[in-house]
Amino acid sequence: MKLSTRGRYALRLMLDIARSGKDGRPVSLTSVTGRTDISRGYLEQLALPLRNANLLKAVSGRYGGYMLAKPATEITLGRIIEAAIGPINLVECVARPDDCMRSEGCECRMVYQLINRRITEVLDEYTLADLEGGALTVLGGVEAPQPARE
């Protein structure tokens, strides 16, 4: 399984806006393009679903751009990914078992459900603020952000 470019770029866009918009000013997509090497056209395509999910808000005018619609501590990585690509779904039978003739007797379906649930749990455990802060630790040989604790 591989996270799509659309999902990865949505995370990069949101992270850049979180970092660059600290002063309360909107962040232009042109400036995001310069920092992320993602084309402005692609960023525009990503901004719409992120706005529709109430994760970004647009500011019109000469000095307009985008701002986070809520604090970075309230935006989970799962919400960003799902806004960009839709629900996390490893294989179709996890979300729609009726679409597969074998789902009821499938020995592998439970594993697919478990993987799907764990991916979702991890994405929902971490927030944009966790990424923004750059707090990383090594867990099992893999660098992972530490979730913000209340």
Side-chain angles (χ1 to χ4, degrees):
M1 188 190 95
K2 176 170 120 174
L3 183 61
S4 71
T5 299
R6 186 172 178 86
R8 293 190 326 267
Y9 283 11
L11 281 175
R12 286 173 55 191
L13 169 61
M14 292 291 289
L15 183 57
D16 188 85
I17 290 174
R19 286 181 174 153
S20 302
K22 287 262 184 237
D23 59 4
R25 292 186 200 164
V27 178
S28 74
L29 292 183
T30 300
S31 68
V32 175
T33 293
R35 288 184 296 272
T36 64
D37 293 324
I38 303 170
S39 76
R40 182 179 165 88
Y42 204 95
L43 291 172
E44 288 172 356
Q45 290 177 32
L46 292 172
L48 182 61
L50 293 168
R51 282 178 56 198
N52 290 340
N54 296 315
L55 300 175
L56 280 182
K57 62 182 174 182
V59 178
S60 299
R62 182 176 181 178
Y63 299 105
Y66 289 92
M67 302 174 70
L68 297 181
K70 55 183 79 173
T73 55
E74 296 177 20
I75 300 174
T76 66
L77 304 183
R79 290 274 323 270
I80 297 168
I81 296 295
E82 288 196 351
I85 66 171
I88 304 297
N89 191 24
L90 186 64
V91 291
E92 293 304 314
C93 70
V94 170
R96 296 191 312 261
D98 293 341
D99 286 358
C100 178
M101 302 179 326
R102 306 187 78 219
S103 67
E104 199 166 309
C106 179
E107 298 86 2
C108 301
R109 187 164 180 271
M110 288 178 59
V111 172
Y112 302 150
Q113 288 173 313
L114 175 63
I115 294 168
N116 209 81
R117 185 172 66 246
R118 296 260 174 94
I119 290 169
T120 303
E121 287 170 356
V122 168
L123 291 173
D124 288 342
E125 181 178 355
Y126 296 102
T127 67
L128 193 54
D130 294 323
L131 283 183
E132 180 187 5
L136 297 176
T137 187
V138 177
L139 298 173
V142 176
E143 289 189 4
Q146 290 298 295
R149 300 292 179 213
E150 297 175 23

